Amino acid sequence: MSIKYQKTFFLFANFLYNLSRVLPHAILSIILLSKGFSIGQISIIQSFFMIAGILLEIPSGILSDIISEKYIYQISLVFITASYMIVIVSSSFWLMCFSWFLYGVSSAGMTGSLDSYFIKDALDNDQGIKKFNIQNNYSLLLSSLLGGGIGASIYGLIHINIYILSILGFIISFVLIQVTIPFKRVEKIKRISVKELFENIRGLLKDEKTKNLVILISSYQIIAQVFFQYWQFILIQKDISAKYFGLVYVLFQFTALISNWFFSVINVSKRNYIFSIILISVLFISGLLVTNSYLVILLLLIFELPFNLYISQLNMELQNTVGSEGLSTSISVMEFTSTIVATSTLWLIAILVSKNNLFLVLGSVVIIFLVVSLIVIFNRKKIKDIN
């Protein structure tokens, strides 16, 4: 089977995987609140997803580079299936933490697995990399739109059993990958030893451009966690009924699709990073401050446009910076640093929110993102001017 058809089947299998993954996401906070957990406890539960990433991002990349991207992808499907099974049967705080840890193990495995397999094939062509990223983004965003909408619509009918539908989707995706994607073990003469991989990592991080990219992508996780983990709590505190969460989630995904379309037809200038960061921060903080329910949702929707364009450009710049040798490991290193920041953000919020207003805490964290990102960008500009 040609690489073109393999890519088509991968995009479909990944579509199904992601649709199944996000089925409970539009009402995830409602599910966890119904199990009796507080906002602080939910933050801690979600942080175990990040802890797994810290521990396993780099090992998963090494295994993908040395063994097979296909096998790592399939093992990741097994772990997320186990995670969702625990959510069905348990309301224990520590079992929920373990469930999110398994979810994080799965996510770490997905990073730099089969997507890297196809990126490697396109490395000789910058437009090829961008084309694949755009196709993969469309697959993920469309599946998120459908999954979130369907999940929110049927949750009232089947409740926690929505996770059973997710598990069925994971099983089908596993079978599709097994049948359509060949197992390609890296040839022995082309394998990189673990020692060489870590030497590559050290060399990668010595490069000033790459180092700044790592920090920018990691800093992005601050605002990403605030948005993705707390938008439902924001709407709850703005007295917006949970029955509208599915619609809001679909609107978020639709806006993300529009962002991806913009990314596909325009070249986002790196000079616009400063403007993007300021706009992202101002829009989100404005959403926290206004009281009108419709205006809150509108501001968050507008916020998503620069939010998605910014990270899309950063990711493409990173992929163009690293070579094909050890690509999975290199991407995993970036995910590793991002996950440390994401975990720290969730723990910080969990600690502060117990004694402070949620909006005050979230606004303060967004300002941290703004300040750190601006410092890095001005540092990049200063280094470029010197050179």
Side-chain angles (χ1 to χ4, degrees):
M1 186 180 293
S2 70
I3 191 74
K4 178 181 178 181
Y5 286 106
Q6 290 176 35
K7 188 188 300 182
T8 300
F9 281 113
F10 163 71
L11 290 172
F12 179 73
N14 214 34
F15 176 94
L16 181 59
Y17 149 73
N18 195 57
L19 185 148
S20 304
R21 182 182 67 86
V22 304
L23 274 176
H25 277 202
I27 32 76
L28 185 58
S29 295
I30 304 303
I31 292 173
L32 291 175
L33 288 169
S34 70
K35 287 179 177 286
F37 302 123
S38 66
I39 293 178
Q41 286 177 315
I42 291 172
S43 296
I44 294 170
I45 289 169
Q46 291 169 335
S47 74
F48 274 80
F49 174 93
M50 309 299 174
I51 292 171
I54 292 171
L55 296 174
L56 296 168
E57 284 290 358
I58 294 177
S60 69
I62 292 172
L63 288 173
S64 288
D65 277 331
I66 294 177
I67 303 174
S68 167
E69 293 95 341
K70 172 182 176 175
Y71 278 8
I72 299 302
Y73 188 94
Q74 289 180 303
I75 291 169
S76 299
L77 287 171
V78 173
F79 276 110
I80 194 172
T81 299
S83 169
Y84 277 34
M85 284 180 175
I86 293 173
V87 177
I88 294 172
V89 301
S90 177
S91 295
S92 162
F93 171 73
W94 289 112
L95 278 177
M96 286 299 103
C97 291
F98 182 60
S99 172
W100 256 255
F101 182 84
L102 292 178
Y103 188 5
V105 172
S106 171
S107 179
M110 288 292 180
T111 302
S113 59
L114 276 177
D115 53 345
S116 291
Y117 172 77
F118 294 106
I119 290 172
K120 288 174 184 177
D121 180 66
L123 269 175
D124 292 334
N125 182 351
D126 287 351
Q127 289 304 311
I129 294 175
K130 183 171 183 176
K131 181 179 179 181
F132 173 74
N133 281 332
I134 290 167
Q135 290 173 336
N136 199 33
N137 285 343
Y138 274 130
S139 172
L140 294 174
L141 292 170
L142 282 170
S143 57
S144 294
L145 190 155
L146 290 174
I150 293 169
S153 301
I154 65 176
Y155 176 71
L157 301 174
I158 62 176
H159 301 290
I160 200 67
N161 292 322
I162 194 172
Y163 280 90
I164 295 176
L165 292 181
S166 295
I167 290 169
L168 289 174
F170 299 147
I171 293 170
I172 296 171
S173 183
F174 183 99
V175 173
L176 276 172
I177 294 297
Q178 178 63 30
V179 172
T180 61
I181 306 295
F183 167 68
K184 289 189 177 181
R185 186 184 295 275
V186 179
E187 294 178 28
K188 204 161 188 178
I189 59 172
K190 293 183 180 179
R191 289 187 194 176
I192 309 171
S193 69
V194 173
K195 180 180 178 181
E196 289 173 321
L197 284 169
F198 278 100
E199 286 175 354
N200 287 345
I201 291 168
R202 283 196 293 269
L204 192 70
L205 297 179
K206 284 181 181 178
D207 179 72
E208 208 62 44
K209 178 180 178 182
T210 306
K211 188 189 299 183
N212 283 323
L213 274 173
V214 170
I215 299 173
L216 284 175
I217 293 173
S218 300
S219 301
Y220 169 84
Q221 282 301 318
I222 298 173
I223 187 75
Q225 294 309 308
V226 169
F227 175 57
F228 289 125
Q229 307 294 351
Y230 294 96
W231 69 265
Q232 294 178 31
F233 295 116
I234 293 171
L235 297 190
I236 288 172
Q237 297 210 7
K238 296 290 185 180
D239 296 323
I240 299 173
S241 173
K243 68 181 181 180
Y244 297 114
F245 284 9
L247 175 60
V248 173
Y249 187 88
V250 168
L251 289 174
F252 284 154
Q253 301 308 315
F254 184 72
T255 306
L257 278 169
I258 294 173
S259 303
N260 196 50
W261 177 81
F262 274 122
F263 183 64
S264 71
V265 297
I266 63 174
N267 290 317
V268 182
S269 172
K270 297 169 192 174
R271 292 191 295 269
N272 292 332
Y273 281 170
I274 294 175
F275 174 74
S276 298
I277 290 166
I278 294 173
L279 185 60
I280 288 167
S281 304
V282 169
L283 285 170
F284 194 89
I285 292 174
S286 298
L288 296 176
L289 293 175
V290 300
T291 55
N292 183 278
S293 300
Y294 296 107
L295 190 54
V296 171
I297 295 172
L298 179 62
L299 285 168
L300 290 179
L301 288 171
I302 297 172
F303 151 86
E304 262 208 286
L305 289 170
F307 173 79
N308 288 317
L309 283 170
Y310 175 63
I311 192 59
S312 294
Q313 178 62 36
L314 283 178
N315 282 330
M316 191 177 76
E317 188 178 349
L318 173 63
Q319 289 164 1
N320 286 331
T321 300
V322 300
S324 60
E325 192 175 78
L327 176 65
S328 297
T329 305
S330 300
I331 293 176
S332 291
V333 170
M334 310 312 156
E335 291 291 337
F336 174 77
T337 57
S338 296
T339 304
I340 290 177
V341 174
T343 306
S344 302
T345 300
L346 287 176
W347 284 352
L348 177 64
I349 294 172
I351 293 169
L352 294 178
V353 80
S354 61
K355 295 183 179 180
N356 297 280
N357 177 273
L358 176 64
F359 291 171
L360 176 63
V361 172
L362 296 183
S364 300
V365 172
V366 171
I367 291 172
I368 293 173
F369 155 76
L370 173 65
V371 172
V372 171
S373 299
L374 287 177
I375 290 172
V376 176
I377 289 176
F378 281 118
N379 183 57
R380 284 185 85 187
K381 188 175 184 302
K382 181 179 178 182
I383 293 169
K384 186 176 179 181
D385 290 341
I386 292 172
N387 293 336

